[in-house]
């Protein structure tokens, strides 16, 4: 919860947990670092259907920048690194998928060119036989 430390168990309802921690953050009652940490965890949790790594990372970065003495800073820094690695892997995956599509298109073009070349070769051979038969 927002005043007693980071969430240890998976919240049943991510949206209500998020709203609760956003409200705790807005109160400015001295538990902002905990609320920011919880917001980051909620937004990055793999079971959260509305997870958002960019917003989670922003929450953790805000925690590190604005509350450098918080006991959650080291954990937040670890989360930032993990989320950045996930982002890099996602970008690499998208790049590989695009490259795979480009290669598949090129393979189709080469197969088409090969078929046309074979047809041309057969036509040339047919005409050569016809001219020899005369």
């Amino acid at each position: 919860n927002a005043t007693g430390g980071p969430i240890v168990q998976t919240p049943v309802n991510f949206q209500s947990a998020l709203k609760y921690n956003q409200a705790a953050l807005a109160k400015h009652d001295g538990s902002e670092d905990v609320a920011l940490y919880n917001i980051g965890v909620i937004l990055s949790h793999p079971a959260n259907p509305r997870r958002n790594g960019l917003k989670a990372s922003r929450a953790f970065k805000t925690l590190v920048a604005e509350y450098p003495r918080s006991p959650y800073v080291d954990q937040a820094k670890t989360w930032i690194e993990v989320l950045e690695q996930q982002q890099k892997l996602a970008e690499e995956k998208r790049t590989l998928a695009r490259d795979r599509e480009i290669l598949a298109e090129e393979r189709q073009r080469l197969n088409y060119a090969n078929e046309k070349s074979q047809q041309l070769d057969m036509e040339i051979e047919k005409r050569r036989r016809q001219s020899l038969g005369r």
Side-chain angles (χ1 to χ4, degrees):
N1 65 28
T3 58
I7 295 173
V8 176
Q9 296 179 326
T10 303
V12 176
N13 185 332
F14 289 104
Q15 284 309 107
S16 64
L18 182 61
K19 287 178 184 175
Y20 176 83
N21 281 281
Q22 288 169 331
L25 180 62
K27 285 181 186 176
H28 300 289
D29 64 359
S31 64
E32 294 89 352
D33 62 330
V34 178
L36 282 166
Y37 181 81
N38 288 342
I39 289 168
V41 171
I42 292 164
L43 289 171
S44 61
H45 198 286
N48 184 351
R50 293 184 178 173
R51 74 178 167 262
N52 185 322
L54 293 175
K55 288 182 180 179
S57 185
R58 193 176 313 129
F60 290 127
K61 288 177 180 178
T62 301
L63 166 60
V64 171
E66 294 184 14
Y67 305 95
R69 295 178 188 259
S70 168
Y72 304 106
V73 166
D74 288 338
Q75 293 174 48
K77 288 178 180 177
T78 300
W79 273 104
I80 292 165
E81 286 183 38
V82 168
L83 292 168
E84 286 175 354
Q85 287 299 317
Q86 281 183 330
Q87 183 65 29
K88 286 179 187 175
L89 289 173
E91 289 171 13
E92 288 175 11
K93 186 177 178 180
R94 283 190 295 273
T95 299
L96 289 172
R98 278 193 305 269
D99 290 350
R100 191 177 315 121
E101 287 178 28
I102 291 168
L103 288 172
E105 290 171 4
E106 184 64 20
R107 185 180 312 116
Q108 285 179 329
R109 282 192 290 275
L110 289 172
N111 284 339
Y112 178 78
N114 187 42
E115 288 175 18
K116 289 296 181 186
S117 176
Q118 288 175 352
Q119 289 174 357
L120 185 59
D121 287 346
M122 287 189 296
E123 186 63 32
I124 291 170
E125 182 62 23
K126 178 181 170 184
R127 290 184 183 183
R128 187 184 67 79
R129 286 183 185 155
Q130 287 174 347
S131 67
L132 289 176
R134 291 185 185 167

